[in-house]
Amino acid sequence: MTDSVFDPDLLSRCISCGFCLPACPTYAATGDEASSPRGRITLMRALQDGDLDPYDPTLQEQSSQCLGCRACEPVCPAGVEYGQLLEQWRDHQWKGRRQPLLARALMLAAGMRHVFRPLGLLRRAAGGGRLVDKAPAAPVSLMLGCFERVLFPGVSRAARALVPGSAVPAGQGCCGALHAHNGDTAAGERLARRLGDDLPGTIVTTSGGCAAHLSSVLGPDRVRELSAHLADRGATGELRVDGRRARVALQDSCHLRNGLGVRQQPRELLGQVADYVELPSAATCCGAAGTYALLRPRESRRILDAKVREIEAAGVDYVAAVNPGCLRQLRTGLRRARSRVKAVHLAELLAEAARNEPR
């Protein structure tokens, strides 16, 4: 038997019932049992028991091919926490030089808070400096996101408008989700705790993936994704296109929906400001999956192209994203298809609607 790779309690929960198979995007695409959660857990057990060489090519391939979308978790009657198992698997498979070079470079970049701060300021992302002495006892802090503040600075500006009075410390760093999903959970947890120290009170984030990771480390009471935070207050105003109420669809964040169970809140908010249209595959992965679109572009594009065809058929004006990776993925696909549909972050749509509210 090899050294323990997985938490035995987590690994033993799977009863091999197969309920996960229809929910798994890679199994749907390949029909290969090894490309399903049940098949991958069988491989994990073989690794744990020493029945497979630790660096067997099948282990390396399947740990990489998995999207990590966690769609198998909500349908599992045994409560298997597959996301944690995948992180433990990649911690083992992606050690040292076996870690994808691009993933390693992205993690290194994400950890450079001294670089992201000036870039965020240059791109005019929301940045409020330090908390003042009169900050409330239980303040709300807005998480900027490492890559989001550079690629999509308008998202944090919109979020700050929707959450007035929130603190936005400009020196905040990465939450560690990128690291946890790419073979370095120790660094992922360390960065999450550091961010928790930097951001007092309730942390509001515009990234579903970051919300799920932070919640797992800091606890769900400290972290709220934007739509969950706004749900009780509701949205105001209206989105209009060509003199009519806009038609808007949503692409779920996999980790937000499957990891935290947040799915109704963004739909309700969009329905308050526009005509909401449910996409048949809104709950399934768009192929972004963190670094997946960069590490496995062929498989990612196959998933994305089907998603874009569905969006086009729905006749919507906008498709809303609740995660920066999904936003980048959707914009890439829609631009490639020369679609008139615009991919926009939920925060920007809600902020635009609020600006249209009659005074």
Side-chain angles (χ1 to χ4, degrees):
M1 180 179 290
T2 187
D3 291 339
S4 181
V5 175
F6 305 97
D7 180 329
D9 291 335
L10 292 179
L11 198 57
S12 66
R13 290 184 196 174
C14 178
I15 57 176
S16 300
C17 64
F19 276 80
C20 57
L21 270 63
C24 178
T26 52
Y27 178 75
T30 65
D32 181 4
E33 171 73 16
S35 298
S36 72
R38 181 174 68 180
R40 291 184 177 116
I41 288 176
T42 298
L43 291 172
M44 293 178 197
R45 285 173 171 161
L47 171 62
Q48 184 90 328
D49 295 339
D51 295 333
L52 276 178
D53 181 274
Y55 296 106
D56 182 283
T58 302
L59 293 174
Q60 198 75 5
E61 167 65 12
Q62 288 302 329
S63 65
S64 172
Q65 189 200 48
C66 179
L67 288 154
C69 67
R70 298 171 63 179
C72 50
E73 291 187 21
V75 300
C76 178
V80 174
E81 296 178 63
Y82 181 85
Q84 286 194 49
L85 289 170
L86 180 63
E87 288 179 2
Q88 292 171 10
W89 197 10
R90 287 181 175 173
D91 275 359
H92 176 270
Q93 296 298 141
W94 292 3
K95 283 181 181 176
R97 293 182 179 179
R98 293 182 181 273
Q99 188 176 59
L101 184 60
L102 180 56
R104 196 184 316 167
L106 289 171
M107 287 188 284
L108 180 64
M112 296 179 177
R113 63 167 61 196
H114 62 285
V115 172
F116 278 101
R117 179 175 183 174
L119 285 176
L121 292 173
L122 183 65
R123 294 279 286 152
R124 295 178 56 244
R130 299 176 181 175
L131 287 170
V132 297
D133 293 337
K134 295 183 180 180
V140 171
S141 294
L142 179 64
M143 193 195 101
L144 292 174
C146 44
F147 291 104
E148 184 182 79
R149 75 182 80 172
V150 177
L151 297 177
F152 308 114
V155 173
S156 59
R157 294 198 299 269
R160 195 172 196 191
L162 294 167
V163 190
S166 57
V168 194
Q172 59 184 278
C174 178
C175 75
L178 181 67
H179 302 72
H181 299 158
N182 286 277
D184 195 349
T185 56
E189 291 178 4
R190 185 171 61 251
L191 287 167
R193 292 194 180 93
R194 183 177 179 182
L195 186 63
D197 292 338
D198 289 343
L199 302 181
T202 300
I203 299 172
V204 174
T205 172
T206 52
S207 168
C210 297
H213 173 66
L214 280 173
S215 294
S216 71
V217 179
L218 303 179
D221 293 338
R222 282 235 38 213
V223 183
R224 302 198 86 188
E225 181 271 336
L226 180 68
S227 69
H229 184 72
L230 296 176
D232 293 339
R233 184 187 321 168
T236 60
E238 186 178 49
L239 284 170
R240 299 189 68 81
V241 174
D242 297 332
R244 58 171 172 79
R245 194 172 169 90
R247 288 169 55 83
V248 182
L250 174 75
Q251 170 59 42
D252 279 302
S253 158
C254 294
H255 283 87
L256 185 64
R257 181 186 178 102
N258 301 322
L260 292 181
V262 175
R263 57 180 182 178
Q264 208 51 43
Q265 295 92 322
R267 289 166 167 78
E268 290 175 355
L269 290 168
L270 288 171
Q272 291 165 13
V273 301
D275 288 339
Y276 178 70
V277 178
E278 181 73 16
L279 296 174
S281 72
T284 62
C285 187
C286 65
T291 58
Y292 193 90
L294 301 175
L295 299 179
R296 301 186 70 109
R298 188 176 304 172
E299 290 105 323
S300 173
R301 178 165 179 172
R302 196 155 44 231
I303 295 169
L304 176 60
D305 286 348
K307 182 78 67 174
V308 168
R309 289 193 294 270
E310 186 176 279
I311 293 170
E312 284 278 273
V316 296
D317 303 295
Y318 300 102
V319 56
V322 286
N323 193 69
C326 302
L327 180 59
R328 174 189 172 278
Q329 177 85 337
L330 292 170
R331 284 187 177 177
T332 298
L334 291 168
R335 183 166 52 245
R336 190 163 53 221
R338 298 183 179 179
S339 173
R340 65 171 187 81
V341 181
K342 296 180 180 179
V344 186
H345 194 281
L346 174 75
E348 294 177 294
L349 287 176
L350 296 181
E352 176 64 25
R355 285 194 290 270
N356 294 335
E357 185 178 16
R359 302 298 178 186

